[in-house]
Every structure is written in structure tokens, then in C-alpha cells.
Amino acid sequence: MKTTTALKTLLLKQELSFLMESHNALSARIAEESGFEGLWASGLSIAASMGLTDRNEASWTQILEVVDFMTDCTTVPVLLDGDTGFGNFNNVRRLVKKLSQRHVAGVCLEDKLFPKTNSFIGAGQPLADVQEFCGKIKAAKDSQLDDDFCVVARVEALVSGLPMEDALMRARAYADAGADAILIHSKQSDGEEVLSFCHQWERDIPIVIVPTKYYQIPTDRFEQLGVSTVIWANHSVRAAISAIRSITRSIRQNNSVAQIEQDIATLDDIFNLTSEYEHQKAEQKYLPA
Ligand code: SPV
Ligand code: MG
């Protein structure tokens, strides 16, 4: 199955689907190996792994390069966090064309302004004009090279402190503009506003959520309310930071690696993850004996 079709199937199926954050090829490969059926190429996590803020400091072609390595070494679909589309409708057209060419299965576009700021920073952030954002969604849909490429429209109204009616109005407008799914985002830790949004959502198109702050709500509750897809948005890069910090500190304190050898991946693990052994077989096949 094409990865675009696989992502569309994940979004449309009755049961809850899960996308795991990946920020480079290695984390993508590990997420697939762990059984995830789809990946979230997180803007925050890719930027963090470059040592940059989540404010569009990295250019869109630098992001494209990272996501290209991710799709190259996996078979599951990748949904790219496309932020605000890196400009206006025209930048969106170019982005979607290049993503389609690189076998990225879909893009998520959020209704904020370029350069964006992470949703968990500061108070309310200015939102895009509804009609202008609808134009971006239409431009994205008109530019996809594959019929099943998915455009997820992300509603930031609740994050910006606007009332539920605004969030619903925006989501309906984005659905009308052709979005394949709506991502409703929230930074509240009790998850109530997302539950309430789902309760009031009357359209057929799928809802995607990112329970980074309201992680204590059992996923069953979202499934009961008809949520389609849950994104675990930053847990791979956060795991990497914790593990790297702990091991690095231990090496520094002990001037030795003996005490941590059992706690880290083996070299063989690296060779497996990077298909080293396949290369050895290929040498036998293609190099003169
Ligand atoms: C990301 O992973 O970059 C996201 C999700 O956009 S969040 O950080 O929650 O805004
Ligand atoms: Mg992001």
C-alpha cells in the first residue's frame, strides 16, 4: 500500500490510531520497529534536534531534508508538521509538491502566523485570517501529486484563548475548504476543552489530537468520543534528551564507560538499524569476487 493511502486509512478507520513523534531517521526507524503504524515529523522535535527554537528558524528545505531521510528508512506513513506552511498559499503549494515527490504521506498546517511560536509558549498568539487559511488548505489540496495525500488542518483557537464557538467555526470552515482531518490543539492539562470539542463536532471528517498536556486522560475516553488519531508529539526527543544526559553525566563523573555499557545500545543494534548487514550481502552480490 502507498504511504499516502496508509495514512488516509489510519485517519479514517473506526479504531483509534497513533502517530509517534520522530525527529530524524533513527528515531523514525525505532518508532516503526516498535510497531507504530505512522509517524509524526514534529516541528518542535526536529528544530530541537538541530539546536533551534520552534520558530521556523530552520528553513523549509532543511526540514524537507530531514523528513526525506525519515521516509527513506521506513515503510510507514509520515505526517509532516508543516507549521503555517512557511509563508502564504504559494509557499504551501511548493511545500506540498515537494512532500509528494519525497513520498511524505501528508502535511499538517496550523492557523497561526509565520514565523510561528510553539503552542505551549506565552499566552494567546495571533491567528491567521480564516479565509486566508482556507486558501492555503485549497492550495495544498490542489498541489498534491497523489490522490490520497492528506492535509490536516490544525485549529489553534483554543490555544489562543478563544471560545469554543470560534474553534468550531474555524474547524468547519477548514473542513469545507477540503481538509482531510482537523487537529484540535489545547494546552489545558485537564483535557476538558478537547473532550467538549469532540462532543460538539458533528462532521464526518476525522479529529486528530495531541495530548501532550492532558496526558492523564485515558485514551479510551477519546476513542469513545470518536477521536480518530492521537499524536505522541515529542516523546522521542524528550526520551533522547533524558537518556543522553544521564549517560553523558555518568561518563563525565566516572571518567569511564564501564558502568554504563549495559545501559546503552550495542554497536550491533546500530548496525541492524542502519541495514549494515544488508550491505554486506549486497557486496557479495555486486562486487567482483
Ligand atoms: C510539534 O510536535 O511540533 C507540534 C505539537 O506542533 S506541539 O508542540 O504541541 O505544538
Ligand atoms: Mg509543531
Side-chain angles (χ1 to χ4, degrees):
M1 194 192 285
K2 290 182 297 182
T3 57
T4 47
T5 313
L7 179 60
K8 188 154 250 185
T9 306
L10 285 183
L11 288 170
L12 291 175
K13 77 178 160 82
Q14 280 298 312
E15 312 82 60
L16 210 50
S17 306
F18 297 91
L19 301 184
M20 181 65 193
E21 174 257 305
S22 307
H23 48 277
N24 56 22
L26 194 57
S27 57
R29 188 86 175 230
I30 292 170
E32 178 170 25
E33 174 196 80
S34 306
F36 279 95
E37 292 171 300
L39 308 177
W40 168 247
S42 155
L44 169 67
S45 306
I46 293 173
S49 68
M50 292 169 163
L52 300 177
T53 68
D54 187 15
R55 292 175 182 272
N56 298 126
E57 287 182 339
S59 72
W60 74 274
T61 52
Q62 287 173 319
I63 302 292
L64 187 68
E65 190 144 317
V66 173
V67 88
D68 195 24
F69 279 108
M70 288 167 56
T71 54
D72 249 4
C73 74
T74 53
T75 60
V76 292
V78 176
L79 174 64
L80 172 69
D81 176 2
D83 292 338
T84 61
F86 305 96
N88 71 3
F89 79 91
N90 197 38
N91 302 86
V92 168
R93 292 201 295 190
R94 182 122 183 97
L95 173 70
V96 169
K97 182 177 163 198
K98 298 318 282 183
L99 292 176
S100 276
Q101 288 171 347
R102 308 281 179 108
H103 306 291
V104 178
V107 70
C108 178
L109 298 172
E110 65 192 51
D111 59 355
K112 293 209 296 253
L113 303 181
F114 179 89
K116 55 74 60 76
T117 306
N118 186 269
S119 303
F120 301 134
I121 291 178
Q125 295 179 27
L127 296 187
D129 171 79
V130 177
Q131 289 315 315
E132 192 257 348
F133 191 70
C134 286
K136 278 186 181 175
I137 295 167
K138 285 181 194 148
K141 291 306 294 173
D142 287 344
S143 308
Q144 66 191 49
L145 303 177
D146 183 292
D147 285 347
D148 287 339
F149 184 89
C150 294
V151 175
V152 178
R154 168 165 158 179
V155 178
E156 288 279 300
L158 302 176
V159 168
S160 287
L162 294 174
M164 184 61 66
E165 267 319 304
D166 288 49
L168 286 162
M169 175 274 289
R170 282 178 174 265
R172 289 178 190 128
Y174 305 160
D176 290 342
D180 296 287
I182 297 294
L183 189 160
I184 182 69
H185 205 17
S186 166
K187 58 183 179 187
Q188 283 186 357
S189 54
D190 64 10
E192 283 305 323
E193 60 185 10
V194 167
L195 294 170
S196 165
F197 179 95
C198 295
H199 194 66
Q200 294 178 62
W201 183 244
E202 73 289 17
R203 303 289 187 92
D204 269 348
I205 83 164
I207 296 182
V208 180
I209 61 168
V210 184
T212 298
K213 294 286 180 180
Y214 50 95
Y215 55 85
Q216 269 160 338
I217 301 205
T219 29
D220 292 2
R221 278 196 74 191
F222 297 122
E223 188 156 31
Q224 283 154 15
L225 277 167
V227 169
S228 146
T229 303
V230 170
I231 296 178
W232 306 125
N234 44 50
H235 300 79
S236 185
V237 80
R238 287 165 65 192
I241 291 168
S242 300
I244 294 169
R245 181 175 282 138
S246 151
I247 295 293
T248 305
R249 283 183 178 168
S250 175
I251 295 173
R252 173 71 186 153
Q253 276 159 14
N254 294 284
N255 285 334
S256 164
V257 291
Q259 75 288 352
I260 50 88
E261 178 63 25
Q262 301 309 316
D263 300 329
I264 59 175
T266 59
L267 293 176
D268 205 43
D269 200 352
I270 299 178
F271 297 149
N272 273 314
L273 285 164
T274 55
S275 305
E276 177 60 34
Y277 298 120
E278 187 282 331
H279 183 273
Q280 287 176 10
K281 279 189 207 140
E283 275 184 353
Q284 284 165 15
K285 184 172 174 190
Y286 298 119
L287 287 180

